């Protein structure tokens, strides 16, 4: 399988299992044993520098957990993840902070991922401080970031509630870039947005990737959106990647029956003959 | 034939920051018996509000200022509550987006599906109600209908909950089904099954459906006709083929150009700007004008009617009046 550029992200046999502990009462009364849910069950994955890997799957397939594992937001139960030469699970202290700056994640719901009590200036300030910028330099940097994502200086003192959904997602992107990140996990970044706004954000993502030399893991349940932005696509089901390949190939000639079923279910506009 | 549903010049006002704003602006459309109409639009354009107005269920503070809603010729605006209660469920029913929030978690599926039967006195006695509910659950394709009767909503998956909700809506045999984003909360594979079920309902019961969705691709696969809404107005309506292949309104063209569609790996072309909130919409002229790349000077000053592009295909755009040919294809 071809990977564009040298690998930036390498995951080998990674796994994550959650234990769902029933409350004590149900445990005693119903004698329910703790239930185990394997969210990610041994995934191998490589993302090249400057590449966008799309990750599709239905709800509960483990896409989000996989994304979180790659940026070290979840402990690994097995396997290892190496991003830009650093092994995620082994980092401590200064090294770990350096790693955190390099990988960022943008969440689905910009209404929930931005602290409503922080102004735009403060939200970006937190991230810029991590990069070691002094307060005096922060404003100038914040403005530059806002302009990069299509916002401007006049948004500096706004609070998230005053921004529209699209503007909030732009802000979430600016914050992710503020740390100097090279690798972004985009977890359904457009599914809370309207289609006309979704297209704006996708266009911005493509532009930023080229300008900043970013690498993306783009997670979505919508294979049409993934097709529009990804170089390669990985299809996930029940914690495993069932198919992975160049986008055109996966969409035009899916090999795995699950991918075929997924593609069949996507609504399409009827052809012009009618 | 008399249309099943006829909405004429429906205008709904609501408060925004102390002063009233128009949320629906002189909305008119018709649904024929057995027809599936798609109401398309982005958030805040008034699609859901339209359905709620039909049912007489507008939220507090919102009111119908003008217009008429006729169901099989009977006027619903201003109809007494008792009359509306007899109509809701019996002649027109609605299914919402999120089945989890629509089903009561503390009652069994059987009881909730049977409720409409009891209210409209369509079945008497436990046995009769139970038998009828099992039939309904079978019709909507729930596996093990007898068993589902006694289960609670949380014991069913999202897709099964939506099937159960459709059964509640169908219980009293309505001839018009309003479906408000019925599959938005579901995975694509489940979405396909639910849409297939709705199509079966339409064919077998001859039930008209109004499908509200933001997904133009979904609507184009499922509906007979499509009406595109923007800022509380219908900006274009026509057959699926006309809307999708010969869109006349720049907004519809924009929507098509920015909709990711499988296997057509084209460059997405976003519509610039943002959707206006109701208090930002211009009092005169076209609400889409600030975002429109074909904007003319009169667009913001003239009152703009729906202009006929071709037979049954109408768009609220001056360009259609200027040229009977639709403006350039959305390449």
């Amino acid at each position: 399988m071809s990977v564009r550029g040298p690998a930036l992200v390498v995951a080998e046999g990674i796994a994550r299992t959650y234990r769902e502990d029933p409350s004590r009462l149900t445990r005693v009364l119903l004698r329910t044993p703790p239930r185990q849910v394997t969210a990610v069950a041994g995934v191998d994955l490589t993302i090249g520098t400057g590449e966008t890997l799309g990750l599709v799957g239905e709800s509960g397939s483990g896409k989000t957990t996989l994304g979180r594992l790659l940026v070290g937001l979840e402990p690994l139960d097995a396997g290892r993840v190496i991003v830009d030469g650093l092994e995620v699970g082994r980092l401590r202290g200064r090294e770990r902070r350096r790693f955190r700056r390099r990988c960022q994640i943008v969440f689905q719901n910009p209404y929930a991922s931005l602290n409503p009590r922080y102004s735009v200036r403060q939200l970006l300030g937190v991230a810029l401080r991590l990069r070691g910028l002094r307060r005096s330099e922060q404003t100038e940097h914040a403005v530059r970031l806002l302009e990069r994502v299509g916002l401007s200086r006049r948004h500096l003192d706004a609070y998230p509630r005053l921004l529209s959904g699209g503007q909030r997602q732009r802000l979430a992107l600016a914050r992710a870039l503020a740390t100097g990140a090279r690798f972004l996990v985009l977890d359904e970044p457009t599914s809370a947005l309207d289609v006309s706004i979704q297209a704006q954000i996708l266009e911005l993502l493509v532009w930023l990737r080229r300008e900043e030399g970013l690498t993306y893991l783009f997670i979505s349940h919508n294979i049409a959106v993934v097709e529009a932005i990804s170089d390669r696509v990985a299809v996930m089901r029940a914690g495993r990647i069932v198919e992975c390949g160049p986008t055109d190939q996966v969409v035009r000639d899916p090999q795995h029956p699950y991918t075929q079923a997924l593609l069949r279910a996507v609504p399409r506009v009827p052809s012009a003959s009618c | 034939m008399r249309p099943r549903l006829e909405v004429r010049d429906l205008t709904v006002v609501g408060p925004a920051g102390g002063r009233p704003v128009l949320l629906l602006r002189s909305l008119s459309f018709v649904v024929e018996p057995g027809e599936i109409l798609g109401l398309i639009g982005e958030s805040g354009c008034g699609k859901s509000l339209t359905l709620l107005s039909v049912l007489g269920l507008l939220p507090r503070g919102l009111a119908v200022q003008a217009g008429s809603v006729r169901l099989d010729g009977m006027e619903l605006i201003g109809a007494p509550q008792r009359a509306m209660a007899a109509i809701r469920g019996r002649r027109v029913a609605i299914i919402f987006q999120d089945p989890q929030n629509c089903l009561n978690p503390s009652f069994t599926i059987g009881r909730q599906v049977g409720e409409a039967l009891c209210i409209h006195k369509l079945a008497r006695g436990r046995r009769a109600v139970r038998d009828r509910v099992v039939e309904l659950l079978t019709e909507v394709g729930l596996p093990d209908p007898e068993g589902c009767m006694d289960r609670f909503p949380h014991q069913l998956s999202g897709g099964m909950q939506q099937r159960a909700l459709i059964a509640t809506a169908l219980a009293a045999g309505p001839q018009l089904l309003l479906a408000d984003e019925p599959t938005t909360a579901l995975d694509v594979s489940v979405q396909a099954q639910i849409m297939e079920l709705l199509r079966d309902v339409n064919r077998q019961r001859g039930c008209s459906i109004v499908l509200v969705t933001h997904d133009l691709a979904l609507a184009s696969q499922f509906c007979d006709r499509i009406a595109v809404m923007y800022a509380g107005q219908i900006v274009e309506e026509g057959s699926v083929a006309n809307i999708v292949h010969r869109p006349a309104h720049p907004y519809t063209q924009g929507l098509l150009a920015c909709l990711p569609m499988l296997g057509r790996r084209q460059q997405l072309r976003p519509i610039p700007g943002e959707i206006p909130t109701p208090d930002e919409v211009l009092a005169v002229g076209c609400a889409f004008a600030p975002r429109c790349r074909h904007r003319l000077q009169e667009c913001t000053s003239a009152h703009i009617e729906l202009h006929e592009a071709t037979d049954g295909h109408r768009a609220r755009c001056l360009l259609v009046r200027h040229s009977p040919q639709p403006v350039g294809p959305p390449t």
Side-chain angles (χ1 to χ4, degrees):
Chain A
M1 197 182 319
S2 68
V3 174
R4 240 169 59 162
L8 184 78
V9 181
V10 180
E12 289 168 355
I14 58 172
R16 177 79 177 127
T17 301
Y18 296 107
R19 228 175 75 140
E20 191 181 66
D21 275 324
S23 73
R24 223 164 134 193
L25 190 68
T26 37
R27 203 157 58 215
V28 174
L29 288 179
L30 305 173
R31 301 208 181 96
T32 324
R35 209 160 62 100
Q36 295 221 330
V37 182
T38 303
V40 176
V43 165
D44 298 311
L45 191 77
T46 310
I47 310 177
T49 307
E51 186 185 44
T52 300
L53 177 67
L55 183 62
V56 283
E58 298 191 286
S59 41
S61 61
K63 323 183 280 295
T64 294
T65 306
L66 179 56
R68 293 172 65 94
L69 287 172
L70 293 188
V71 295
L73 282 177
E74 297 267 341
L76 289 162
D77 288 335
R80 59 186 196 147
V81 174
I82 298 165
V83 179
D84 205 5
L86 299 172
E87 188 175 342
V88 176
R90 304 226 159 161
L91 304 171
R92 293 290 173 271
R94 189 196 259 281
E95 283 274 276
R96 178 143 86 180
R97 283 198 293 278
R98 199 169 66 142
F99 169 79
R100 288 264 156 91
R101 285 202 297 275
R102 246 180 251 171
C103 308
Q104 287 290 312
I105 184 162
V106 174
F107 297 99
Q108 169 171 7
N109 187 347
Y111 295 84
S113 64
L114 300 168
N115 187 336
R117 302 178 59 136
Y118 277 25
S119 68
V120 170
R121 185 196 297 271
Q122 287 169 310
L123 283 163
L124 293 176
V126 172
L128 288 170
R129 227 169 11 253
L130 281 178
R131 198 155 126 191
L133 284 178
R134 279 195 306 276
R135 198 168 281 266
S136 54
E137 302 163 311
Q138 281 176 16
T139 303
E140 187 197 330
H141 255 88
V143 171
R144 207 177 305 155
L145 282 165
L146 289 176
E147 283 166 356
R148 276 202 109 45
V149 298
L151 299 171
S152 71
R153 182 182 287 274
R154 68 193 167 86
H155 294 105
L156 260 186
D157 294 303
Y159 284 83
R161 66 166 190 281
L162 297 173
L163 303 176
S164 67
Q167 286 174 331
R168 280 180 225 211
Q169 208 53 297
R170 287 173 192 271
L171 175 60
L173 267 171
R175 182 173 64 174
L177 297 178
T179 60
R182 314 303 314 142
F183 172 51
L184 294 188
V185 171
L186 306 162
D187 190 0
E188 304 256 12
T190 62
S191 50
L193 306 174
D194 278 305
V195 274
S196 70
I197 307 303
Q198 165 172 279
Q200 292 175 1
I201 297 294
L202 291 175
E203 187 183 49
L204 173 66
L205 285 170
V206 169
W207 183 80
L208 280 174
R209 181 180 80 161
R210 202 175 48 226
E211 288 287 301
E212 311 260 338
L214 298 172
T215 302
Y216 295 149
L217 177 73
F218 187 97
I219 302 174
S220 177
H221 66 280
N222 185 339
I223 200 165
V225 173
V226 166
E227 189 203 20
I229 191 168
S230 310
D231 303 308
R232 284 190 307 140
V233 181
V235 182
M236 199 162 177
R237 184 196 190 187
R240 290 174 202 283
I241 287 179
V242 296
E243 179 158 4
C244 183
T247 304
D248 281 344
Q249 208 172 311
V250 172
V251 170
R252 261 188 293 112
D253 185 23
Q255 298 300 308
H256 195 278
Y258 179 70
T259 317
Q260 292 166 359
L262 204 59
L263 283 163
R264 262 201 309 277
V266 176
R268 293 164 204 251
V269 168
S271 56
S273 56
C274 62
Chain B
M1 207 176 349
R2 201 161 53 187
R4 178 116 297 142
L5 179 71
E6 191 177 8
V7 175
R8 278 276 151 261
D9 298 321
L10 182 67
T11 302
V12 169
V13 288
R19 66 195 178 88
V21 290
L22 293 179
L23 300 174
L24 295 182
R25 300 182 298 148
S26 204
L27 199 75
S28 300
F29 65 90
V30 163
V31 185
E32 300 295 340
E35 187 185 40
I36 307 180
L37 174 75
L39 272 186
I40 305 293
E42 297 183 280
S43 47
C45 72
K47 343 181 262 296
S48 301
L49 212 53
T50 306
L51 299 190
L52 294 178
S53 320
V54 169
L55 292 166
L57 292 176
L58 282 177
R60 191 186 292 267
L62 271 55
V64 174
Q65 192 184 52
S68 113
V69 172
R70 285 172 185 273
L71 181 68
D72 294 314
M74 179 193 167
E75 180 61 54
L76 300 188
I77 299 294
Q81 278 303 323
R82 278 180 72 109
M84 286 309 289
I87 285 168
R88 284 184 214 125
R90 183 79 181 90
R91 290 171 59 191
V92 50
I94 187 164
I95 43 178
F96 292 104
Q97 173 173 354
D98 188 354
Q100 215 170 354
N101 291 335
C102 293
L103 293 167
N104 189 326
S106 41
F107 293 123
T108 60
I109 296 295
R111 176 152 176 192
Q112 297 186 58
V113 176
E115 197 182 353
L117 294 172
C118 301
I119 289 174
H120 295 289
K121 303 192 173 59
L122 295 169
R124 279 168 204 274
R126 256 167 186 253
R127 196 65 245 172
V129 172
R130 199 179 165 90
D131 288 348
R132 185 73 194 104
V133 171
V134 170
E135 274 173 43
L136 283 161
L137 294 181
T138 312
E139 182 183 346
V140 297
L142 273 174
D144 182 22
E146 290 271 1
C148 277
M149 285 280 299
D150 303 314
R151 260 176 245 157
F152 289 91
H154 76 269
Q155 292 170 302
L156 305 184
S157 68
M160 282 162 76
Q161 286 176 352
Q162 193 58 285
R163 284 178 193 272
L165 200 64
I166 293 173
T168 20
L170 294 178
Q175 282 304 296
L176 175 64
L177 192 60
L178 309 176
D180 190 358
E181 306 253 11
T183 59
T184 307
L186 306 172
D187 277 317
V188 271
S189 54
V190 184
Q191 164 173 285
Q193 295 165 13
I194 295 292
M195 294 316 288
E196 205 169 307
L197 168 63
L198 286 176
R199 199 193 304 261
D200 287 346
V201 166
N202 166 257
R203 287 198 183 138
Q204 277 157 24
R205 291 178 169 240
C207 175
S208 308
I209 298 179
V210 179
L211 174 74
V212 157
T213 173
H214 63 277
D215 188 341
L216 197 45
L218 183 72
S220 70
Q221 233 177 24
F222 179 74
C223 299
D224 301 312
R225 269 186 322 122
I226 290 179
V228 181
M229 288 185 69
Y230 189 77
Q233 276 183 324
I234 288 179
V235 294
E236 180 162 6
E237 64 171 314
S239 66
V240 168
N242 276 334
I243 295 286
V244 170
H245 301 300
R246 291 172 287 279
H249 197 284
Y251 177 61
T252 316
Q253 295 170 356
L255 268 187
L256 280 162
C258 72
L259 183 72
M261 271 185 268
L262 212 51
R264 195 180 84 175
R265 236 199 145 178
Q266 88 287 38
Q267 181 105 38
L268 298 180
R269 285 191 296 115
I271 306 175
E274 303 241 340
I275 303 158
T277 57
D279 55 332
E280 287 169 358
V281 176
L282 308 166
V284 282
C286 172
F288 186 65
R291 303 173 75 184
C292 182
R293 56 196 176 96
H294 302 292
R295 183 178 57 229
L296 308 170
Q297 206 155 30
E298 347 160 34
C299 286
T300 47
S301 56
H303 175 71
I304 298 159
E305 298 283 331
L306 276 167
H307 295 285
E308 196 102 351
T310 52
D311 199 26
H313 179 202
R314 303 186 299 156
R316 198 178 290 280
C317 182
L318 292 175
L319 293 164
V320 179
R321 189 195 60 190
H322 285 306
S323 58
Q325 293 299 315
V327 218
T331 41

